[in-house]
Amino acid sequence: MSVHACILGCSTTRLTDEERAFFTEVRPWGFILFKRNIDSPDQVRRLVDDLRGCVGRADAPVLIDQEGGRVQRMGPPHWRRYPPGRAYGEVGGNDPLYRREIARLGARLLAHDLRAVGINVDCVPVLDVPAPDGHEIIGDRAYGRTADEVALLGRAAAEGLIAGGVLPVVKHMPGHGRALADSHLQLPVVDAAWEELEARDVAPFKVLSDMPMAMTAHVVYTAIDPARPATTSRIVHRRVIRGAIGFGGLVMTDDLSMKALSGDFAARTRAALAAGCDVALHCNGDMDEMTAVVAGAKPLQGRSLTRAKAALARVARAPEPFDIEEARARFEAAFEGRYAA
């Protein structure tokens, strides 16, 4: 039986009867959780199991934005508070290899937390390189201030997640760091020349072009396509995401309910999938909006289905052996106890 090329959210910590019936009927490819869906480990496990039960797939992707810092959906008292990306770029003095080790370790601990409750996809790492005058929506979520720093630590984080049996999602392709606006609230327009974008913004995504999943940016890059944001731009997908970056994995949209996009939700979905996105993401759990997204979506098929299967094949691997107590001690020592469990 086919599935719809979309990832959907739900409204609270347990499925309503309406949500259960809807998900069973429309069979989205996956789901995403937010703070409104999180209470305790046992509750999250039950919710994840219920979501997968609706679509009848034990490996259905369940996503979360568990970066650390400002963007952490699972937190105290049940889960550790993790640092933002920038903190990893500031440990270890002049030793980039140590920073890389700690970034990988932090992501490995994140994967341990997520896998324990059944979550198998984390929307990490942020590969955006923040410009000095860029909007703070990225800010300290970035691993550093240069493309090389971001690529080094972003790759370490992605490898740590994969080692723990959780899929990383590189974001926000092809780069949100120059944006002067928050795409949750309005459409950012970046006027930098292509040569500048390629050297700085796009560079970390090239280094991680072998990752299984990526998320697009709702940003207009006038040097590439002055008319449409990356999410809905066939030119950006063809020339940059699949072209200059050479990304071969599954591409998902950023949240379709963000105000950077215009049009009704069916139209947003159709535009994103027609441009080259494999899967549409809708996060807020609003039933009317989700119904429209599904109406605009299509069955997951062709190359998109092949990419989805390839991603799930990577997450099916058993986690690498891991001494959790020793790892926690090393992590806490690196941050001098500021992020103790």
Side-chain angles (χ1 to χ4, degrees):
M1 186 179 294
S2 64
V3 302
H4 273 91
C6 57
I7 298 167
L8 303 176
C10 57
S11 59
T12 185
T13 54
R14 57 187 298 177
L15 291 182
T16 66
D17 291 342
E18 183 183 22
E19 288 169 339
R20 193 183 304 276
F22 178 70
F23 294 146
T24 300
E25 178 185 358
V26 305
R27 296 174 58 82
W29 182 62
F31 302 95
I32 188 164
L33 302 183
F34 279 77
K35 276 190 176 181
R36 67 178 183 272
N37 308 122
I38 306 297
D39 180 23
S40 68
D42 285 344
Q43 170 269 322
V44 176
R45 258 182 242 108
R46 287 193 299 270
L47 178 58
V48 169
D49 288 346
D50 283 350
L51 289 167
R52 290 192 172 121
C54 290
V55 295
R57 289 180 286 119
D59 66 345
V62 177
L63 292 72
I64 196 167
D65 291 289
Q66 188 77 345
E67 298 175 15
R70 288 178 287 148
V71 182
Q72 180 169 340
R73 314 307 187 195
M74 294 163 47
H78 299 292
W79 296 277
R80 172 192 303 276
R81 185 170 61 91
Y82 285 90
R86 181 174 296 169
Y88 292 103
E90 295 174 345
V91 298
N94 294 323
D95 189 348
L97 294 181
Y98 180 72
R99 290 196 288 276
R100 187 189 190 287
E101 175 191 353
I102 299 305
R104 189 183 194 278
L105 181 65
R108 182 65 182 84
L109 287 167
L110 279 172
H112 177 84
D113 292 350
L114 298 179
R115 191 159 175 123
V117 294
I119 296 170
N120 58 359
V121 183
D122 193 2
C123 298
V124 168
V126 174
L127 296 186
D128 305 307
V129 184
D133 60 345
H135 193 280
E136 275 299 304
I137 189 59
I138 299 302
D140 66 358
R141 297 165 67 191
Y143 292 100
R145 293 176 173 83
T146 70
D148 287 345
E149 291 170 337
V150 170
L152 177 73
L153 299 186
R155 184 159 199 96
E159 291 173 353
L161 289 173
I162 291 171
V166 171
L167 287 182
V169 179
V170 299
K171 62 185 187 185
H172 305 84
M173 194 178 284
H176 204 300
R178 291 181 193 267
L180 301 180
D182 178 356
S183 54
H184 293 85
L185 304 176
Q186 63 187 98
L187 177 62
V189 177
V190 170
D191 290 322
W194 165 247
E195 292 76 16
E196 297 175 16
L197 294 171
E198 185 178 32
R200 181 179 175 90
D201 305 68
V202 170
F205 293 101
K206 288 185 178 181
V207 175
L208 280 84
S209 63
D210 59 331
M211 288 295 119
M213 296 177 66
M215 178 185 291
T216 60
H218 298 333
V219 176
V220 169
Y221 307 89
T222 59
I224 309 167
D225 183 347
R228 290 169 292 275
T231 299
T232 59
S233 170
R234 188 173 299 179
I235 297 171
V236 172
H237 280 269
R238 185 176 69 251
R239 294 185 184 176
V240 182
I241 294 175
R242 302 299 184 186
I245 293 171
F247 188 73
L250 180 136
V251 175
M252 56 188 277
T253 71
D254 203 345
D255 182 10
L256 291 179
S257 65
M258 291 162 64
K259 294 181 180 178
L261 300 182
S262 59
D264 62 55
F265 284 90
R268 296 181 191 193
T269 304
R270 285 193 295 269
L273 297 180
C277 289
D278 297 301
V279 176
L281 172 68
H282 182 272
C283 295
N284 65 24
D286 181 279
M287 183 58 70
D288 290 339
E289 292 182 12
M290 290 194 295
T291 301
V293 168
V294 170
K298 58 186 179 183
L300 190 61
Q301 58 191 0
R303 290 182 179 178
S304 295
L305 179 59
T306 299
R307 293 172 186 136
K309 287 180 176 178
L312 293 180
R314 293 182 72 169
V315 80
R317 301 171 188 172
E320 292 178 3
F322 189 54
D323 184 333
I324 183 66
E325 296 305 325
E326 189 271 341
R328 285 171 175 160
R330 278 199 295 139
F331 182 81
E332 291 170 13
F335 290 102
E336 300 175 337
R338 294 193 300 276
Y339 299 98

